[in-house]
Amino acid sequence: MSTIEQTAPAASNFLRTIIDEDVKSGRHTTIVTRFPPEPNGYLHIGHAKSICINFGLARDFGGRCHLRFDDTNPAKEEQEYIDSIKESVRWLGFDWGENLHYASDYFEQLYQWAEYLIREGKAYVEDLNAEEMRAYRGTLTEAGKESPYRNRSVEENLDLFRRMKAGEFPDGARVLRARIDMASSNMNLRDPVLYRIIHAPHPHVGDAWKIYPMYDFAHGQSDAIEGITHSICTLEFEDHKPLYEWFLENLPVPSKPRQYEFARLNLTYTVMSKRKLQELVQLGIVSGWDDPRLPTLMGIKRRGYTAAAVRAFCETIGVGRSDSWIDMSILEECVRTDLNETAPRAMAVLRPLKVVIDNWPAGEVEEIVAPNHPQKPEMGSRTVHFSREIWIDSDDFMEDPPKGFHRLMVGGEVKLRFGYIVKCTGVVKDEDGRILELRCQYDPGSREGIHTSDGRKVKGVIHWVSASHAVNAEVRLFDRLFSDPNPDRGGVDYKQFLNPLSVERLSGCKLEASLAAADRETRFQFERLGYFRQDPKDSLPGQPVFNRVVTLRDAWTKK
Ligand code: ATP
Ligand code: MG
């Protein structure tokens, strides 16, 4: 179940078609899906696709979606990951309700089923070591060889398996294998391992177990225990499907879920492998799992992306069965589309250049009411202050501008958004020739519109902030973490494609006064600069830090 109301009918896809047919034919009355993360890392945007598919289908068909931790490998799993996964799923707007599950809650049942397979002559304890097992396994073109331990008696197998469980043997000494077919053309059916010995405490069930089931043995049976109807996973599990079905056929399971595969999300300019994300964190290349440049949901959230934008992205990219690449710009565009609707506008100057308006009386302030959104009067307005000294962005002025530069230059005119047209009359420099400030004259008849008192139209409109009213802030501008569209292409170290300019921290930025009281959650459009929100960790009262969530597509078309 989900807390998200569907606003538009979801686009159809092959999974919807399958479920539609299952509902129509009466095969299922209630649709049950699940999202099954292994708690060995943080969720990323690829997982968001899977979450939206599974929770979205359950929502749209009036069924339910379980959150199930596939926690079969205690060596790599931690409570910290469990907590952050729950937080990320909730942040995306989905609710598993009563249906929070752990594969480890089924360990006893899985163990009983393993004994069942042994008694049926369908599983055996293997003494070959990992290397020998590999050698016996054969290749894609060559059948495997049967292990000398394959024909142990049921009694011997039960005895050894129970002793494995009791912790009598060290890690790796033995495994339990299914007895299927060492000559199968599907490698997954060549007597796959069901259980291994791991002497390690488990984050959810403590130190009750010395043996742990393999993913393949746990996954489908967990689905069956929970009454999952449609077990939806990514394409790399297609080859595991015969094994998934073999277990369901050979065990007295309470239900028979079906597995369906879809193409995983591949996104350009980033990496999504847990190992690589972990490496970026451990090497200090990023500031943590929630670094705003990472594709982790914690990073995306911290950066200021909205959950609605991420859901819209997952809807936009659709669900198919062929592998493809999605360009990062599609994700960014979804964020822009959402924020364009919802973000109040404000003015901020990132690289301040002082402007003194000589014909404006010192100490006089004009309060100007500026709408918060140009198309949405219902979003209200705020006051901006016009005064003698203001800040503009230093790149809105050029001493020696190229043709077509419509911002400020000596002798040129520009409209200050919501304020007046000013004409630059001179530049004040220090001994080294650095610009200290600009001197300007304002045109008293130019408050409304973009025409001078004598009827000339100015081409450029720039943002500005009153110097005596400005709020000081740090602003962080993010760019893509990698400068290559496919850093994870293999064969080369992905780290060589890191973008050295992926973050720029600007201090001494000037924000309009209304932002002093800004709600921490609100995303703003800083006019001409992009969408921004306070950093949830580093922004402090009186010392705001704003992250740029995403640029404006057309920010500099007037450049
Ligand atoms: P690994 O198995 O290597 O630890 P994983 O990314 O597959 O990493 P899981 O915790 O197993 O992590 O993933 C949980 C679910 O999310 C699985 O059903 C998986 O298929 C799905 N998933 C993972 N990555 C993507 C992706 N890029 N696109 C869509 N779904 C994904
Ligand atoms: Mg996985």
Side-chain angles (χ1 to χ4, degrees), residues 248-469:
L248 298 181
E249 275 154 30
N250 287 280
L251 288 169
V253 289
S255 78
K256 299 250 165 114
R258 285 207 181 174
Q259 175 180 307
Y260 299 94
E261 309 87 20
F262 68 95
R264 66 195 296 113
L265 169 65
N266 298 307
L267 194 61
T268 57
Y269 295 98
T270 192
V271 295
M272 280 197 272
S273 116
K274 282 180 191 161
R275 194 183 60 74
K276 290 181 180 114
L277 292 171
Q278 185 130 34
E279 189 174 52
L280 291 170
V281 173
Q282 272 163 3
L283 294 177
I285 292 169
V286 295
S287 63
W289 285 99
D290 62 351
D291 187 296
R293 294 164 294 174
L294 287 181
T296 55
L297 294 181
M298 307 262 293
I300 281 175
K301 175 180 172 215
R302 179 170 178 187
R303 175 145 171 181
Y305 281 24
T306 58
V310 176
R311 291 193 303 268
F313 169 71
C314 293
E315 192 62 38
T316 303
I317 59 177
V319 185
R321 276 189 51 88
S322 49
D323 263 314
S324 64
W325 283 83
I326 301 294
D327 199 82
M328 183 65 99
S329 61
I330 295 178
L331 175 60
E332 291 163 348
E333 190 56 26
C334 288
V335 179
R336 254 179 225 123
T337 303
D338 182 37
L339 295 183
N340 182 42
E341 291 293 311
T342 56
R345 276 41 173 176
M347 292 199 287
V349 168
L350 301 188
R351 296 173 180 86
L353 170 61
K354 174 73 71 68
V355 171
V356 180
I357 301 166
D358 287 315
N359 59 339
W360 188 276
E364 194 172 308
V365 177
E366 181 173 342
E367 293 193 347
I368 298 169
V369 176
N372 286 334
H373 194 291
Q375 286 94 38
K376 299 191 174 196
E378 68 277 14
M379 283 177 68
S381 59
R382 83 278 184 190
T383 298
V384 296
H385 306 86
F386 200 87
S387 64
R388 182 178 160 88
E389 296 196 357
I390 63 170
W391 299 108
I392 66 167
D393 251 310
S394 59
D395 50 11
D396 280 334
F397 172 78
M398 280 185 93
E399 268 199 292
D400 196 9
K403 207 169 153 4
F405 182 81
H406 295 309
R407 292 167 278 163
L408 204 52
M409 60 186 98
V410 178
E413 287 167 314
V414 77
K415 166 81 173 179
L416 297 170
R417 177 90 163 136
F418 304 121
Y420 293 88
I421 291 173
V422 292
K423 178 175 192 164
C424 181
T425 52
V427 182
V428 181
K429 296 184 179 176
D430 67 11
E431 288 125 49
D432 301 322
R434 276 188 298 254
I435 299 176
L436 293 176
E437 61 184 41
L438 306 180
R439 314 299 295 205
C440 286
Q441 296 277 323
Y442 87 104
D443 175 348
S446 63
R447 248 278 278 125
E448 305 292 337
I450 49 168
H451 289 87
T452 58
S453 308
D454 53 9
R456 280 174 301 105
K457 189 174 169 184
V458 295
K459 288 211 169 122
V461 182
I462 65 171
H463 57 273
W464 55 279
V465 170
S466 166
S468 55
H469 298 87

Side-chain angles (χ1 to χ4, degrees), residues 490-505:
V492 275
D493 182 359
Y494 71 101
K495 295 195 290 301
Q496 82 182 62
F497 302 115
L498 280 162
N499 174 6
L501 301 175
S502 60
V503 59
E504 196 178 355
R505 288 160 190 257

Side-chain angles (χ1 to χ4, degrees), residues 36 38 47 215 234 236-237 274:
E38 187 182 350
H47 295 114
Y215 171 86
T234 35
E236 69 269 23
F237 291 102
K274 282 180 191 161

